[in-house]
Amino acid sequence: LLFLDKMYSAKVLEHLENPRNVGAMSDATARGEATNPVCGDLLRLYIKVTDGKIAEASFKVQGCPPSVAAGSALTEMITGLTVDEARKLAPQDVTRALESLPRNKEHCSVLAIDALRAALADQS
Ligand code: FES
């Protein structure tokens, strides 16, 4: 992570060192996948919804460091939210949770939200 600390916020680095909720979820009630055709990154989100609330979330990613941080932040952010609340989240919310992203990495938050929207569509 030595050279990364010049590029990324403290929060991004913290998620990279200790990513939350990594891995597939065997008892997920919905899954969503998103890819960015330009960079080729892929993020898969798993959620478990009980009584209209996201009780658990996890993710897998093949991508750049900020996409790992975005997936990690997203799973933290949506855990405990109702499905309706989660639907209102936007890429800027993920970027804000990461303090900031370099301009050319802002689409990593879009990737996370696209995966969320796909999972919520799978749920309903
Ligand atoms: Fe494309 Fe991170 S560089 S999602």
Side-chain angles (χ1 to χ4, degrees), residues 36 39-41 63-64 66-67 104-105 107-108 111:
N36 181 304
C39 63
D41 288 3
C64 66
S67 67
N104 66 342
K105 292 290 181 183
H107 73 275
C108 306
L111 187 77

Side-chain angles (χ1 to χ4, degrees), residues 40-59:
D41 288 3
L42 183 150
L43 195 146
R44 191 173 296 143
L45 183 73
Y46 303 83
I47 55 175
K48 193 197 295 178
V49 176
T50 13
D51 299 331
K53 272 197 173 177
I54 300 176
E56 271 180 62
S58 72
F59 77 105

Side-chain angles (χ1 to χ4, degrees), residues 60-78:
K60 286 176 82 170
V61 70
Q62 283 166 10
C64 66
S67 67
V68 176
S72 175
L74 178 74
T75 57
E76 273 197 323
M77 196 185 301
I78 63 176

Side-chain angles (χ1 to χ4, degrees), residues 74 77-78 81 84-94 113 116-117:
L74 178 74
M77 196 185 301
I78 63 176
L81 291 189
D84 283 345
E85 287 166 339
R87 269 189 227 263
K88 295 192 185 112
L89 290 177
Q92 301 86 283
D93 297 311
V94 177
I113 291 295
L116 173 64
R117 295 204 172 128

